[in-house]
Amino acid sequence: MLSIKWATLSAGLIIAISLRVTEADPSSADDSGPVKAVWQPGQDALRCTQRFGSSQKVTIIMVADPGKFSGTPESSFYVGAVQNKNEVPANITSCSDLLTGNILNQPVVVATSGIGPVAAAMCTMEMLQCSSLIKDFVYVGTSGWTSQLGGVLNAPGSCGEANLPRDLARIGDIAVTPYAANWACKLADYSGQCKGAPNLCSYPEEIYGPQEARLYGDCVFSQSSKAMLNLADELISATRTPQFSANVASLATDFEQRIAPYETAYFAAMSNGTGHQYILPPWRAPRVWDYNVAAEIDAQFFYSGVPWDMVARNYTAQTLNLATGRSLTQYDVIAVSAMEAVGVAPAINLHNQISGKAEVPYVLVRANSDYLYQPVQRAKSGNGWETVENPPPANSSVAYRFAIGTSSSAVLTMLQLRCLQGAANNVTACAYTPLQF
Ligand SMILES: *[C@@H]1O[C@H](CO)[C@@H](O)[C@H](O)[C@H]1NC(C)=O
Ligand SMILES: *[C@@H]1O[C@H](CO)[C@@H](O)[C@H](O)[C@H]1NC(C)=O
Ligand SMILES: *[C@@H]1O[C@H](CO)[C@@H](O)[C@H](O)[C@H]1NC(C)=O
Ligand SMILES: *[C@@H]1O[C@H](CO)[C@@H](O)[C@H](O)[C@H]1NC(C)=O
Ligand SMILES: *[C@@H]1O[C@H](CO)[C@@H](O)[C@H](O)[C@H]1NC(C)=O
């Protein structure tokens, strides 16, 4: 009895063990080819080479929207430029969409994480399994912006007049920053948040803001390394080159025909309401706003309205001050509102702090696809400010596509310049077909 029992038990054990070995054995899993291998943590270099389709370090380009939201997949312009494309099947990745290949002679992974910080963190973590093969990481996409540096209204203190027009943000403008904060991290109550309503020039009061990590975890991502700042600077400098001007030149007609009418109507209504004149020069190229004035402010709340924008600028100022030791206020910055950096930044920062792991430098690139508030006017009741009646309707599918186009141009121009450097300035070898709208 005893011995039979023991024999059965040990046979069971042996089967269990051998099954586990089969599942975990990388060589048997990889026999069927690179993309069919089941993804498991802790792969060796070979598995990462197969995973990324490259034995050289890759640039990861990650976006959020597969196209369900705006109608244009945010990866469109990169996918159009990829050679030796290899789609990774959906059943072996946590990203919404993943492909490998080359852009302008450089190995890349073009990943669509899906919308939101959780999806972004999951897809990022998956990429980080192969961090030793990652050169750098760009998270790029669309965002809602303040209409001018320092915003249109600022409470408390300057509600008598709207801010004078300066540094207007145009649709398609691009922010390049390593910094981010989570707008939703606050302890607040109704009477504080809505204090002053319906006057738009009211500052929502909170009991604690995003720096109170003991309440909601880390919500301000102001870390940067030399490599991260170098990457941000490389991208910013790329947008100041003749190549970038040439690459976006074809967008000028689209801007004038499809974006300018909305922008013009928006600022005309604003002018009507504030009494200020807003001058919109003819469009030549998107303006690139750097990390001295912009951080990515994330929330899962599609907020719009002056009070929330003021708070977003305050959080931006707090984040930039922590990053650089300056003393900016909400008057000195713009809010760039999106969703995913607060998933990406902690994933990569935590990874980079683990000893023995290769540092992955990252940068956030966000183009302006919409304004965070409607034009404002003095309230008819005589008390403060309100939204103008019948504000001009935006065509968001058009504006989002334009923003996807300009931000993609910035990233692709950086890759083009790297290509030229690697190919002794051979322009033919690094030819790039400028984007069509
Ligand atoms: C993944 O799906 C493909 C079909 O798209 C199938 O051929 C393959 O066997 C699946 N792989 C796994 C690991 O389930
Ligand atoms: C300007 O304000 C007037 C009066 O409120 C209104 O009739 C007109 O439509 C407004 N124009 C624009 C461009 O918003
Ligand atoms: C942000 O707003 C709070 C008031 O809610 C203020 O005390 C603080 O100084 C502001 N910080 C910045 C950087 O503007
Ligand atoms: C937005 O623009 C697209 C493309 O020009 C057009 O097909 C669509 O009808 C427009 N939508 C609205 C709401 O104006
Ligand atoms: C430049 O690149 C093209 C295309 O890759 C190639 O055919 C040509 O020989 C190169 N020219 C030089 C001078 O290397």
Side-chain angles (χ1 to χ4, degrees), residues 110-132:
V110 178
T112 303
S113 60
I115 290 175
V118 176
M122 306 268 279
C123 181
T124 301
M125 289 298 284
E126 185 178 308
M127 299 300 104
L128 291 172
Q129 301 285 345
C130 290
S131 58
S132 59

Side-chain angles (χ1 to χ4, degrees), residues 173-195:
D173 277 4
I174 303 164
V176 178
T177 183
Y179 308 123
N182 191 338
W183 181 93
C185 296
K186 53 173 79 34
L187 174 62
D189 60 22
Y190 177 82
S191 56
Q193 284 289 290
C194 301
K195 198 171 182 172

